[in-house]
Amino acid sequence: MGVFFRRLRAETGGKPFPYVWVPEWHKSGHGLHLHFAVGDFIARGKIDRAWGHGFVHIKLLGDLPVGSGSFAQSRKAAGYLSKYVGKSFDDDAAGVRRPRGLHRFDVAQGYTPRKVLLQGASRDEVLEAAAGAMGGPPDVFWSSDEAVDWQGPPAVWVQWRG
């Protein structure tokens, strides 16, 4: 993937740009394919030349109101990619399919997301702080309280789709 993104950077003028990518197994199990998002339009021909391994499909992540801004656009892309980050890469009926210890996603060098520490005296206070940081309540909420056989420590999953 590093070679692909270096070629793509060369195709787009050589200047570094932010991107995030997520691998996903093909439904047939014969190999991986890649989902990635960039902040600006890149012509399909440039992506084809940089990839050089066959099929390329491009999807515009649109449907945002005019003037939504980069925060809303980033949120839309994150929601799209989170579907693939959330999928299991550990195993299936055939056994382990992804070596342990590898990331489920990666970003362009120099564009690592920053951590945001949210604190509160309760889960609800932390969720309220997260909703404030994200501009509204989450679209998806899951709590280990809802899982009948939950064996681990209390856990919460929230997701904003944009």
Side-chain angles (χ1 to χ4, degrees):
M1 294 316 310
V3 170
F4 164 67
F5 284 112
R6 283 190 293 279
R7 288 180 185 164
L8 189 57
R9 182 175 39 202
E11 286 283 341
T12 59
K15 184 178 173 187
F17 59 89
Y19 61 82
V20 60
W21 64 274
V22 178
E24 180 186 30
W25 285 102
H26 287 285
K27 290 179 184 173
S28 64
H30 79 275
L32 291 168
H33 63 266
L34 171 76
H35 299 264
F36 77 96
V38 296
D40 291 320
F41 173 79
I42 299 176
R44 180 192 179 104
K46 292 179 180 185
I47 296 171
D48 283 334
R49 284 190 296 276
W51 179 241
H53 295 290
F55 183 74
V56 171
H57 173 75
I58 298 172
K59 179 178 181 178
L60 175 64
L61 299 176
D63 300 332
L64 290 170
V66 173
S68 293
S70 60
F71 187 71
Q73 294 167 350
S74 297
R75 194 181 262 183
K76 180 87 171 182
Y80 169 75
L81 292 174
S82 70
K83 293 185 299 188
Y84 305 105
V85 172
K87 289 185 176 184
S88 172
F89 284 97
D90 291 336
D91 56 31
D92 68 359
V96 174
R97 301 186 67 188
R98 180 177 171 89
R100 296 200 183 278
L102 295 182
H103 295 274
R104 291 177 182 258
F105 71 94
D106 211 344
V107 298
Q109 186 174 0
Y111 293 95
T112 303
R114 64 180 173 85
K115 291 181 184 179
V116 175
L117 179 62
L118 302 173
Q119 297 181 341
S122 68
R123 176 183 79 177
D124 290 339
E125 282 186 21
V126 174
L127 290 172
E128 186 176 329
M134 296 300 291
D139 297 301
V140 177
F141 175 88
W142 176 88
S143 170
S144 59
D145 294 344
E146 301 167 8
V148 177
D149 316 3
W150 187 257
Q151 298 293 315
V156 172
W157 168 267
V158 292
Q159 179 180 350
W160 286 262
R161 293 195 177 112

